[in-house]
Coordinates of all heavy atoms in Angstrom, one line a residue:
M1 N 50.7 -18.0 -1.0 CA 49.8 -17.0 -1.6 C 50.0 -16.9 -3.1 O 49.1 -16.8 -3.9 CB 50.1 -15.6 -0.9 CG 49.1 -14.6 -1.3 SD 47.4 -15.1 -0.8 CE 46.4 -13.9 -1.8
R2 N 51.3 -16.9 -3.6 CA 51.6 -16.7 -5.0 C 51.0 -17.9 -5.8 O 50.6 -17.8 -6.9 CB 53.1 -16.6 -5.2 CG 53.6 -15.3 -4.9 CD 55.0 -15.1 -5.2 NE 55.3 -13.7 -5.2 CZ 55.3 -12.9 -6.2 NH1 55.2 -13.4 -7.4 NH2 55.5 -11.6 -6.2
Q3 N 51.1 -19.1 -5.1 CA 50.6 -20.3 -5.8 C 49.1 -20.2 -6.0 O 48.5 -20.5 -7.0 CB 50.9 -21.5 -4.9 CG 52.3 -21.9 -5.0 CD 52.7 -22.4 -6.3 OE1 52.1 -23.2 -7.0 NE2 53.9 -21.9 -6.8
I4 N 48.4 -19.6 -5.0 CA 46.9 -19.4 -5.0 C 46.6 -18.5 -6.2 O 45.7 -18.8 -7.0 CB 46.4 -18.9 -3.7 CG1 46.6 -19.9 -2.6 CG2 44.9 -18.6 -3.8 CD1 46.4 -19.3 -1.2
V5 N 47.3 -17.4 -6.3 CA 47.1 -16.4 -7.4 C 47.3 -17.1 -8.7 O 46.5 -16.9 -9.7 CB 48.0 -15.2 -7.2 CG1 47.9 -14.2 -8.4 CG2 47.6 -14.4 -5.9
K6 N 48.4 -17.9 -8.8 CA 48.7 -18.6 -10.0 C 47.5 -19.5 -10.5 O 47.1 -19.5 -11.6 CB 50.0 -19.4 -9.8 CG 50.6 -19.9 -11.1 CD 51.9 -20.6 -10.8 CE 52.0 -21.9 -11.5 NZ 53.1 -22.7 -11.0
W7 N 47.0 -20.2 -9.5 CA 45.9 -21.1 -9.8 C 44.6 -20.4 -10.1 O 43.9 -20.8 -11.0 CB 45.7 -22.1 -8.6 CG 46.6 -23.3 -8.7 CD1 47.7 -23.5 -7.9 CD2 46.6 -24.3 -9.6 NE1 48.3 -24.6 -8.3 CE2 47.7 -25.2 -9.3 CE3 45.7 -24.7 -10.7 CZ2 47.9 -26.3 -10.1 CZ3 46.0 -25.8 -11.4 CH2 47.1 -26.6 -11.1
I8 N 44.3 -19.3 -9.5 CA 43.2 -18.5 -9.8 C 43.3 -18.0 -11.3 O 42.3 -18.1 -12.0 CB 43.0 -17.3 -8.8 CG1 42.6 -17.7 -7.4 CG2 42.0 -16.3 -9.3 CD1 42.7 -16.7 -6.4
R9 N 44.5 -17.6 -11.7 CA 44.7 -17.2 -13.0 C 44.4 -18.3 -14.0 O 43.8 -18.1 -15.0 CB 46.1 -16.7 -13.2 CG 46.4 -15.3 -12.6 CD 47.7 -14.8 -13.0 NE 47.8 -14.4 -14.4 CZ 48.8 -13.9 -15.0 NH1 49.9 -13.6 -14.2 NH2 48.8 -13.5 -16.2
I10 N 44.9 -19.5 -13.7 CA 44.8 -20.6 -14.6 C 43.3 -21.0 -14.7 O 42.7 -21.2 -15.8 CB 45.6 -21.8 -14.1 CG1 47.1 -21.5 -14.3 CG2 45.2 -23.1 -14.9 CD1 48.0 -22.5 -13.5
I11 N 42.6 -21.0 -13.6 CA 41.1 -21.3 -13.6 C 40.3 -20.3 -14.3 O 39.5 -20.6 -15.2 CB 40.6 -21.5 -12.1 CG1 41.3 -22.7 -11.5 CG2 39.1 -21.6 -12.1 CD1 41.2 -22.8 -9.9
A12 N 40.6 -19.0 -14.1 CA 39.9 -17.9 -14.8 C 40.2 -18.0 -16.3 O 39.2 -17.8 -17.1 CB 40.4 -16.6 -14.2
L13 N 41.4 -18.3 -16.7 CA 41.7 -18.4 -18.1 C 41.0 -19.6 -18.7 O 40.4 -19.5 -19.9 CB 43.2 -18.6 -18.3 CG 43.8 -18.4 -19.7 CD1 43.7 -17.0 -20.1 CD2 45.2 -18.9 -19.8
T14 N 40.9 -20.7 -18.0 CA 40.2 -21.9 -18.5 C 38.7 -21.6 -18.7 O 38.1 -21.9 -19.7 CB 40.4 -23.1 -17.5 OG1 41.7 -23.2 -17.2 CG2 39.8 -24.4 -18.1
I15 N 38.1 -21.0 -17.7 CA 36.7 -20.6 -17.8 C 36.4 -19.7 -19.0 O 35.5 -19.9 -19.7 CB 36.2 -20.0 -16.4 CG1 36.2 -21.0 -15.3 CG2 34.8 -19.4 -16.6 CD1 36.1 -20.4 -13.9
A16 N 37.3 -18.7 -19.1 CA 37.2 -17.7 -20.2 C 37.3 -18.5 -21.6 O 36.5 -18.2 -22.5 CB 38.3 -16.7 -20.1
C17 N 38.2 -19.4 -21.7 CA 38.3 -20.2 -23.0 C 37.1 -21.0 -23.3 O 36.6 -21.0 -24.4 CB 39.6 -21.1 -22.9 SG 41.1 -20.2 -23.1
V18 N 36.6 -21.7 -22.2 CA 35.4 -22.6 -22.4 C 34.2 -21.7 -22.8 O 33.4 -22.0 -23.7 CB 35.1 -23.4 -21.1 CG1 33.8 -24.1 -21.2 CG2 36.3 -24.4 -20.9
D19 N 34.1 -20.5 -22.1 CA 33.0 -19.6 -22.3 C 33.0 -19.1 -23.7 O 32.0 -18.9 -24.4 CB 33.1 -18.5 -21.3 CG 31.7 -18.1 -20.9 OD1 30.9 -19.0 -20.5 OD2 31.3 -16.9 -21.0
C20 N 34.2 -18.7 -24.2 CA 34.4 -18.2 -25.6 C 33.9 -19.3 -26.6 O 33.3 -18.9 -27.6 CB 35.9 -17.9 -25.9 SG 36.3 -16.2 -25.2
L21 N 34.2 -20.5 -26.3 CA 33.8 -21.6 -27.2 C 32.3 -21.7 -27.2 O 31.6 -21.8 -28.3 CB 34.4 -23.0 -26.7 CG 35.8 -23.2 -27.1 CD1 36.3 -24.5 -26.4 CD2 35.9 -23.4 -28.6
I22 N 31.6 -21.7 -26.0 CA 30.2 -21.7 -25.9 C 29.6 -20.6 -26.7 O 28.6 -20.7 -27.4 CB 29.7 -21.7 -24.4 CG1 30.2 -23.0 -23.7 CG2 28.2 -21.6 -24.3 CD1 30.1 -22.9 -22.2
M23 N 30.2 -19.4 -26.5 CA 29.7 -18.2 -27.2 C 29.8 -18.3 -28.7 O 28.9 -18.0 -29.4 CB 30.5 -17.0 -26.7 CG 29.7 -15.7 -26.7 SD 30.4 -14.5 -25.5 CE 32.0 -14.1 -26.2
G24 N 30.9 -18.9 -29.1 CA 31.1 -19.1 -30.5 C 30.1 -20.1 -31.1 O 29.5 -19.8 -32.2
V25 N 29.9 -21.2 -30.4 CA 28.9 -22.2 -30.9 C 27.5 -21.5 -31.0 O 26.8 -21.7 -31.9 CB 28.9 -23.4 -29.9 CG1 27.7 -24.3 -30.2 CG2 30.2 -24.1 -30.1
K26 N 27.1 -20.7 -30.0 CA 25.8 -20.1 -29.9 C 25.7 -19.1 -31.1 O 24.6 -19.1 -31.8 CB 25.7 -19.3 -28.6 CG 25.1 -20.2 -27.5 CD 24.6 -19.3 -26.4 CE 23.7 -20.0 -25.4 NZ 23.2 -19.2 -24.3
L27 N 26.7 -18.4 -31.4 CA 26.7 -17.4 -32.5 C 26.6 -18.1 -33.8 O 25.9 -17.6 -34.7 CB 27.9 -16.5 -32.4 CG 28.0 -15.5 -31.3 CD1 29.3 -14.7 -31.3 CD2 26.8 -14.5 -31.4
I28 N 27.3 -19.2 -34.0 CA 27.2 -20.0 -35.2 C 25.8 -20.5 -35.4 O 25.3 -20.5 -36.5 CB 28.2 -21.2 -35.2 CG1 29.7 -20.6 -35.3 CG2 28.0 -22.2 -36.3 CD1 30.7 -21.6 -34.9
D29 N 25.1 -20.9 -34.3 CA 23.7 -21.4 -34.3 C 22.7 -20.2 -34.4 O 21.5 -20.4 -34.2 CB 23.4 -22.1 -33.0 CG 23.8 -23.6 -33.1 OD1 24.2 -24.0 -34.2 OD2 23.7 -24.3 -32.1
N30 N 23.2 -19.0 -34.7 CA 22.3 -17.8 -34.8 C 21.6 -17.5 -33.5 O 20.5 -17.0 -33.6 CB 21.4 -18.0 -36.0 CG 22.0 -17.7 -37.3 OD1 22.9 -16.8 -37.4 ND2 21.7 -18.4 -38.4
D31 N 22.2 -17.9 -32.4 CA 21.6 -17.6 -31.1 C 22.4 -16.4 -30.5 O 23.5 -16.6 -30.1 CB 21.7 -18.8 -30.2 CG 21.1 -18.6 -28.8 OD1 20.6 -17.4 -28.6 OD2 21.1 -19.5 -28.0
F32 N 21.8 -15.2 -30.6 CA 22.6 -14.1 -30.2 C 22.3 -13.7 -28.7 O 22.6 -12.6 -28.3 CB 22.2 -12.9 -31.1 CG 22.7 -13.1 -32.4 CD1 21.9 -13.5 -33.5 CD2 24.1 -12.9 -32.7 CE1 22.4 -13.7 -34.7 CE2 24.6 -13.1 -34.0 CZ 23.7 -13.5 -35.0
N33 N 21.7 -14.6 -28.0 CA 21.5 -14.4 -26.5 C 22.7 -14.8 -25.7 O 22.7 -15.8 -25.0 CB 20.2 -15.2 -26.1 CG 19.8 -14.8 -24.7 OD1 20.2 -13.8 -24.2 ND2 19.0 -15.7 -24.1
V34 N 23.8 -14.1 -25.9 CA 25.1 -14.5 -25.3 C 25.5 -13.5 -24.2 O 26.7 -13.4 -23.9 CB 26.2 -14.6 -26.4 CG1 26.0 -15.9 -27.2 CG2 26.3 -13.4 -27.2
L35 N 24.6 -12.7 -23.7 CA 24.9 -11.7 -22.7 C 25.6 -12.2 -21.5 O 26.5 -11.7 -21.0 CB 23.6 -10.9 -22.4 CG 23.9 -9.5 -21.8 CD1 24.5 -8.6 -22.8 CD2 22.6 -8.9 -21.3
I36 N 25.0 -13.4 -21.0 CA 25.5 -14.0 -19.8 C 27.0 -14.5 -20.0 O 27.9 -14.2 -19.2 CB 24.6 -15.2 -19.3 CG1 23.3 -14.6 -19.0 CG2 25.3 -15.9 -18.1 CD1 22.2 -15.7 -19.0
E37 N 27.2 -15.1 -21.2 CA 28.5 -15.6 -21.5 C 29.5 -14.5 -21.6 O 30.7 -14.5 -21.2 CB 28.5 -16.4 -22.8 CG 28.0 -17.8 -22.7 CD 26.4 -17.9 -22.7 OE1 25.8 -16.8 -22.8 OE2 25.9 -19.0 -22.7
A38 N 29.1 -13.4 -22.2 CA 29.9 -12.2 -22.4 C 30.3 -11.6 -21.0 O 31.5 -11.2 -20.8 CB 29.2 -11.1 -23.2
H39 N 29.4 -11.6 -20.1 CA 29.7 -11.1 -18.8 C 30.7 -12.0 -18.0 O 31.5 -11.5 -17.3 CB 28.4 -11.0 -17.9 CG 27.6 -9.8 -18.2 ND1 26.6 -9.6 -19.1 CD2 27.8 -8.5 -17.7 CE1 26.2 -8.4 -19.1 NE2 26.9 -7.7 -18.2
I40 N 30.5 -13.3 -18.2 CA 31.4 -14.3 -17.6 C 32.9 -14.1 -18.1 O 33.8 -14.0 -17.4 CB 31.0 -15.7 -17.8 CG1 29.6 -16.0 -17.0 CG2 32.0 -16.7 -17.3 CD1 29.0 -17.3 -17.4
V41 N 33.0 -13.9 -19.4 CA 34.3 -13.7 -20.1 C 34.9 -12.4 -19.5 O 36.1 -12.3 -19.1 CB 34.2 -13.6 -21.6 CG1 35.5 -13.2 -22.2 CG2 33.8 -15.0 -22.1
F42 N 34.1 -11.4 -19.4 CA 34.5 -10.1 -18.9 C 35.0 -10.2 -17.5 O 36.1 -9.7 -17.1 CB 33.4 -9.1 -19.0 CG 33.8 -7.7 -18.7 CD1 34.6 -6.9 -19.5 CD2 33.3 -7.1 -17.5 CE1 35.0 -5.7 -19.2 CE2 33.7 -5.8 -17.2 CZ 34.5 -5.1 -18.0
A43 N 34.2 -10.9 -16.6 CA 34.6 -11.1 -15.2 C 36.0 -11.9 -15.1 O 36.8 -11.5 -14.3 CB 33.5 -11.9 -14.5
C44 N 36.1 -12.9 -16.0 CA 37.3 -13.7 -16.0 C 38.5 -12.8 -16.4 O 39.6 -12.9 -15.8 CB 37.2 -14.9 -16.9 SG 36.1 -16.2 -16.2
L45 N 38.3 -12.0 -17.4 CA 39.4 -11.1 -17.8 C 39.8 -10.1 -16.7 O 40.9 -9.8 -16.5 CB 39.0 -10.4 -19.1 CG 38.9 -11.3 -20.3 CD1 38.4 -10.5 -21.5 CD2 40.3 -11.9 -20.7
L46 N 38.8 -9.6 -16.0 CA 39.0 -8.7 -14.9 C 39.8 -9.4 -13.8 O 40.8 -8.8 -13.3 CB 37.7 -8.2 -14.3 CG 37.1 -6.9 -14.8 CD1 35.8 -6.6 -14.1 CD2 38.1 -5.8 -14.7
I47 N 39.5 -10.7 -13.5 CA 40.2 -11.5 -12.5 C 41.7 -11.6 -12.9 O 42.6 -11.4 -12.2 CB 39.6 -12.8 -12.3 CG1 38.2 -12.7 -11.6 CG2 40.5 -13.7 -11.4 CD1 37.3 -13.9 -11.6
Q48 N 41.9 -11.9 -14.2 CA 43.2 -12.0 -14.8 C 44.0 -10.7 -14.6 O 45.2 -10.8 -14.2 CB 43.1 -12.3 -16.3 CG 42.7 -13.7 -16.7 CD 43.9 -14.6 -16.6 OE1 45.0 -14.3 -16.9 NE2 43.7 -15.8 -16.0
L49 N 43.3 -9.6 -14.9 CA 44.0 -8.3 -14.8 C 44.4 -8.0 -13.3 O 45.6 -7.6 -13.1 CB 43.0 -7.2 -15.2 CG 43.6 -5.8 -15.5 CD1 44.5 -5.8 -16.7 CD2 42.6 -4.8 -15.6
F50 N 43.5 -8.3 -12.4 CA 43.8 -8.1 -10.9 C 45.0 -9.0 -10.5 O 45.9 -8.5 -9.8 CB 42.6 -8.3 -10.1 CG 41.6 -7.2 -10.0 CD1 40.3 -7.3 -10.4 CD2 42.1 -5.9 -9.6 CE1 39.5 -6.2 -10.4 CE2 41.2 -4.8 -9.5 CZ 39.9 -5.0 -9.9
C51 N 45.0 -10.2 -10.9 CA 46.0 -11.2 -10.5 C 47.4 -10.7 -11.1 O 48.4 -10.8 -10.4 CB 45.7 -12.6 -11.0 SG 44.4 -13.3 -10.0
T52 N 47.3 -10.2 -12.4 CA 48.6 -9.8 -13.0 C 49.1 -8.6 -12.2 O 50.3 -8.5 -11.9 CB 48.3 -9.4 -14.5 OG1 47.7 -10.5 -15.1 CG2 49.6 -9.0 -15.2
V53 N 48.3 -7.6 -11.9 CA 48.7 -6.4 -11.1 C 49.2 -6.9 -9.8 O 50.3 -6.4 -9.3 CB 47.5 -5.5 -10.9 CG1 47.8 -4.4 -9.9 CG2 47.1 -4.8 -12.3
Y54 N 48.6 -7.8 -9.1 CA 49.0 -8.3 -7.8 C 50.4 -8.9 -7.9 O 51.3 -8.6 -7.1 CB 48.0 -9.3 -7.2 CG 48.5 -9.9 -6.0 CD1 48.4 -9.3 -4.7 CD2 49.2 -11.2 -6.0 CE1 48.8 -9.9 -3.6 CE2 49.7 -11.8 -4.8 CZ 49.5 -11.1 -3.6 OH 50.0 -11.7 -2.5
Q55 N 50.6 -9.7 -9.0 CA 51.9 -10.4 -9.1 C 53.0 -9.4 -9.4 O 54.1 -9.5 -8.9 CB 51.8 -11.4 -10.2 CG 51.1 -12.7 -9.8 CD 51.2 -13.8 -10.8 OE1 51.1 -13.5 -12.0 NE2 51.2 -15.0 -10.4
L56 N 52.7 -8.3 -10.2 CA 53.7 -7.3 -10.5 C 54.0 -6.5 -9.3 O 55.2 -6.2 -9.0 CB 53.1 -6.4 -11.6 CG 53.1 -7.0 -13.0 CD1 52.5 -6.0 -14.0 CD2 54.5 -7.4 -13.5
L57 N 53.0 -6.1 -8.5 CA 53.2 -5.3 -7.3 C 53.9 -6.2 -6.2 O 54.7 -5.6 -5.4 CB 51.9 -4.8 -6.7 CG 51.2 -3.7 -7.6 CD1 49.9 -3.3 -6.9 CD2 52.1 -2.5 -7.7
G58 N 53.6 -7.5 -6.2 CA 54.2 -8.3 -5.1 C 55.6 -8.7 -5.4 O 56.3 -9.3 -4.6
N59 N 56.1 -8.4 -6.6 CA 57.4 -8.7 -7.1 C 58.5 -7.7 -6.7 O 59.2 -7.2 -7.5 CB 57.4 -8.9 -8.6 CG 58.5 -9.9 -9.0 OD1 59.0 -10.7 -8.2 ND2 58.8 -10.0 -10.3
K60 N 58.5 -7.4 -5.4 CA 59.4 -6.3 -4.9 C 60.5 -6.9 -4.0 O 60.3 -8.0 -3.4 CB 58.6 -5.4 -4.0 CG 57.9 -4.3 -4.8 CD 57.3 -3.3 -3.9 CE 56.7 -2.1 -4.6 NZ 56.0 -1.2 -3.7
C61 N 61.6 -6.2 -4.0 CA 62.7 -6.7 -3.2 C 62.4 -6.4 -1.7 O 62.0 -5.3 -1.4 CB 64.0 -5.9 -3.6 SG 65.4 -6.2 -2.5
P62 N 62.6 -7.3 -0.8 CA 62.3 -7.1 0.6 C 63.3 -6.2 1.3 O 63.1 -5.7 2.4 CB 62.3 -8.5 1.2 CG 63.1 -9.3 0.3 CD 63.0 -8.7 -1.1
Y63 N 64.5 -5.9 0.6 CA 65.5 -5.1 1.2 C 65.5 -3.7 0.8 O 65.4 -2.8 1.6 CB 66.9 -5.7 0.9 CG 67.0 -7.1 1.4 CD1 67.1 -8.2 0.5 CD2 67.1 -7.4 2.8 CE1 67.2 -9.5 0.9 CE2 67.2 -8.7 3.2 CZ 67.2 -9.7 2.3 OH 67.3 -11.0 2.7
C64 N 65.4 -3.4 -0.5 CA 65.4 -2.1 -1.0 C 64.0 -1.6 -1.4 O 63.8 -0.4 -1.6 CB 66.4 -1.9 -2.1 SG 66.0 -2.8 -3.6
G65 N 63.1 -2.6 -1.5 CA 61.7 -2.2 -1.8 C 61.4 -1.9 -3.3 O 60.4 -1.4 -3.6
R66 N 62.5 -2.1 -4.1 CA 62.3 -1.7 -5.5 C 61.7 -2.9 -6.3 O 61.9 -4.0 -6.0 CB 63.6 -1.3 -6.1 CG 64.0 0.1 -5.6 CD 65.4 0.5 -6.1 NE 65.3 1.0 -7.4 CZ 66.4 1.5 -8.0 NH1 67.5 1.6 -7.4 NH2 66.3 2.0 -9.3
W67 N 61.0 -2.5 -7.4 CA 60.3 -3.6 -8.2 C 61.3 -4.3 -9.0 O 62.2 -3.8 -9.7 CB 59.3 -2.9 -9.1 CG 58.5 -3.8 -9.9 CD1 57.7 -4.8 -9.4 CD2 58.5 -3.9 -11.3 NE1 57.2 -5.5 -10.5 CE2 57.6 -5.0 -11.6 CE3 59.1 -3.2 -12.3 CZ2 57.4 -5.3 -13.0 CZ3 58.8 -3.5 -13.6 CH2 58.0 -4.6 -13.9
R68 N 61.2 -5.7 -9.0 CA 62.1 -6.5 -9.8 C 61.3 -7.0 -11.0 O 60.2 -7.6 -10.9 CB 62.5 -7.7 -8.9 CG 63.4 -7.3 -7.7 CD 63.8 -8.5 -7.0 NE 62.7 -9.2 -6.4 CZ 62.5 -10.5 -6.6 NH1 63.3 -11.2 -7.3 NH2 61.4 -11.1 -6.1
E69 N 61.9 -6.8 -12.2 CA 61.3 -7.3 -13.4 C 61.4 -8.8 -13.5 O 60.5 -9.5 -14.0 CB 61.9 -6.6 -14.6 CG 61.5 -5.1 -14.7 CD 62.4 -4.4 -15.6 OE1 62.6 -4.9 -16.8 OE2 62.9 -3.3 -15.2
M70 N 62.5 -9.3 -13.1 CA 62.8 -10.7 -13.2 C 62.7 -11.4 -11.9 O 62.9 -10.8 -10.8 CB 64.3 -10.9 -13.7 CG 64.5 -10.1 -14.9 SD 64.6 -11.0 -16.4 CE 66.2 -10.5 -17.0
N71 N 62.3 -12.6 -11.9 CA 62.1 -13.4 -10.7 C 63.4 -14.1 -10.3 O 63.4 -15.3 -9.9 CB 61.0 -14.4 -10.8 CG 60.0 -14.3 -9.7 OD1 60.3 -13.7 -8.6 ND2 58.8 -14.8 -9.9
G72 N 64.6 -13.4 -10.4 CA 65.8 -14.0 -10.1 C 66.1 -14.2 -8.6 O 65.3 -13.8 -7.8
A73 N 67.2 -14.9 -8.3 CA 67.6 -15.2 -6.9 C 68.2 -13.9 -6.3 O 68.2 -13.8 -5.0 CB 68.5 -16.4 -6.9
Y74 N 68.6 -13.0 -7.1 CA 69.2 -11.8 -6.5 C 68.5 -10.5 -7.0 O 68.1 -10.5 -8.2 CB 70.7 -11.7 -6.9 CG 71.5 -12.8 -6.3 CD1 71.7 -14.0 -6.9 CD2 72.1 -12.7 -5.0 CE1 72.4 -15.1 -6.4 CE2 72.8 -13.7 -4.4 CZ 72.9 -14.9 -5.1 OH 73.6 -16.0 -4.5
C75 N 68.5 -9.5 -6.2 CA 67.9 -8.3 -6.6 C 68.8 -7.5 -7.5 O 70.0 -7.4 -7.3 CB 67.6 -7.4 -5.3 SG 67.0 -5.7 -5.7
P76 N 68.3 -7.1 -8.7 CA 69.1 -6.4 -9.7 C 69.5 -5.0 -9.2 O 70.4 -4.3 -9.7 CB 68.3 -6.3 -10.9 CG 66.9 -6.4 -10.4 CD 66.9 -7.2 -9.2
H77 N 68.8 -4.4 -8.1 CA 69.1 -3.1 -7.7 C 70.1 -3.0 -6.6 O 71.1 -2.2 -6.6 CB 67.8 -2.4 -7.2 CG 66.8 -2.4 -8.3 ND1 66.9 -1.7 -9.5 CD2 65.6 -3.1 -8.4 CE1 65.8 -1.9 -10.2 NE2 65.0 -2.7 -9.6
C78 N 69.9 -3.9 -5.5 CA 70.9 -3.8 -4.4 C 71.8 -5.1 -4.4 O 72.7 -5.1 -3.6 CB 70.1 -3.7 -3.1 SG 69.0 -5.1 -2.7
G79 N 71.5 -6.1 -5.2 CA 72.3 -7.2 -5.3 C 72.2 -8.2 -4.2 O 73.0 -9.2 -4.1
R80 N 71.2 -8.1 -3.3 CA 71.1 -9.0 -2.2 C 70.2 -10.2 -2.6 O 69.4 -10.1 -3.5 CB 70.4 -8.3 -1.0 CG 71.4 -7.2 -0.5 CD 70.7 -6.5 0.6 NE 70.8 -7.1 1.9 CZ 70.5 -6.5 3.1 NH1 70.2 -5.3 3.1 NH2 70.6 -7.2 4.2
K81 N 70.5 -11.3 -1.9 CA 69.8 -12.5 -2.2 C 68.3 -12.5 -1.8 O 68.1 -12.0 -0.6 CB 70.5 -13.7 -1.6 CG 70.1 -15.0 -2.2 CD 70.9 -16.2 -1.6 CE 70.7 -17.5 -2.4 NZ 69.4 -17.9 -2.6
I82 N 67.4 -12.8 -2.7 CA 66.0 -12.8 -2.3 C 65.6 -14.1 -1.6 O 65.9 -15.2 -2.2 CB 65.1 -12.6 -3.6 CG1 65.6 -11.4 -4.4 CG2 63.7 -12.5 -3.3 CD1 65.5 -10.1 -3.8
P83 N 65.0 -14.1 -0.5 CA 64.6 -15.3 0.2 C 63.6 -16.0 -0.6 O 62.7 -15.4 -1.3 CB 64.0 -14.9 1.5 CG 63.9 -13.4 1.5 CD 64.7 -12.9 0.3
S84 N 63.6 -17.4 -0.7 CA 62.8 -18.1 -1.6 C 61.3 -18.0 -1.2 O 60.5 -18.3 -2.0 CB 63.2 -19.6 -1.5 OG 63.2 -20.1 -0.2
S85 N 61.0 -17.6 0.0 CA 59.6 -17.5 0.5 C 58.9 -16.4 -0.2 O 57.7 -16.4 -0.4 CB 59.5 -17.3 2.0 OG 60.2 -16.1 2.3
S86 N 59.6 -15.4 -0.7 CA 59.0 -14.3 -1.4 C 58.7 -14.5 -2.9 O 58.2 -13.7 -3.6 CB 59.8 -13.0 -1.2 OG 60.9 -13.1 -2.1
K87 N 59.1 -15.7 -3.4 CA 58.9 -16.0 -4.8 C 57.5 -16.4 -5.1 O 56.9 -17.0 -4.3 CB 59.8 -17.1 -5.2 CG 61.1 -16.6 -5.8 CD 62.0 -17.7 -6.3 CE 63.3 -17.1 -6.7 NZ 64.2 -18.2 -7.2
Ligands
LIG1 ZN1 66.9 -4.9 -3.6

């Protein structure tokens, strides 16, 4: 699941970058009809935000349930080893 979220983030970021380029080229060409591009960028940024929130919320210790800032092998709160499947 984490791999999927990671790939969604990468794809969304790529689309946002390409779209920003298209928008930039259009604006340079004095074409101000960039509403669709602006919406795509906005949607991609929303996806990024949701994925970031999901990753932060999903980064919890399975034993004490506290949020871990680092993705280390051990929980900084209870000191127990985190199973690799939760990474
Ligand atoms: Zn813990």
Side-chain angles (χ1 to χ4, degrees):
M1 189 62 197
R2 284 187 164 259
Q3 286 295 312
I4 298 166
V5 172
K6 196 177 133 191
W7 276 106
I8 290 170
R9 283 188 74 174
I10 292 168
I11 292 163
L13 194 70
T14 311
I15 293 168
C17 285
V18 171
D19 216 54
C20 277
L21 280 173
I22 294 168
M23 210 154 66
V25 169
K26 271 196 168 183
L27 288 175
I28 290 165
D29 273 355
N30 280 327
D31 181 2
F32 292 100
N33 190 16
V34 290
L35 200 66
I36 297 161
E37 282 84 356
H39 276 95
I40 294 169
V41 170
F42 186 68
C44 286
L45 289 177
L46 267 182
I47 292 167
Q48 283 283 317
L49 192 73
F50 277 123
C51 288
T52 307
V53 168
Y54 174 82
Q55 283 187 327
L56 286 178
L57 290 178
N59 208 15
K60 276 184 175 179
C61 171
Y63 301 108
C64 64
R66 290 175 80 174
W67 181 62
R68 296 181 298 128
E69 287 163 51
M70 310 252 234
N71 231 340
Y74 294 91
C75 172
H77 303 292
C78 63
R80 293 175 85 165
K81 198 176 193 306
I82 307 297
S84 55
S85 60
S86 75
K87 267 186 187 176

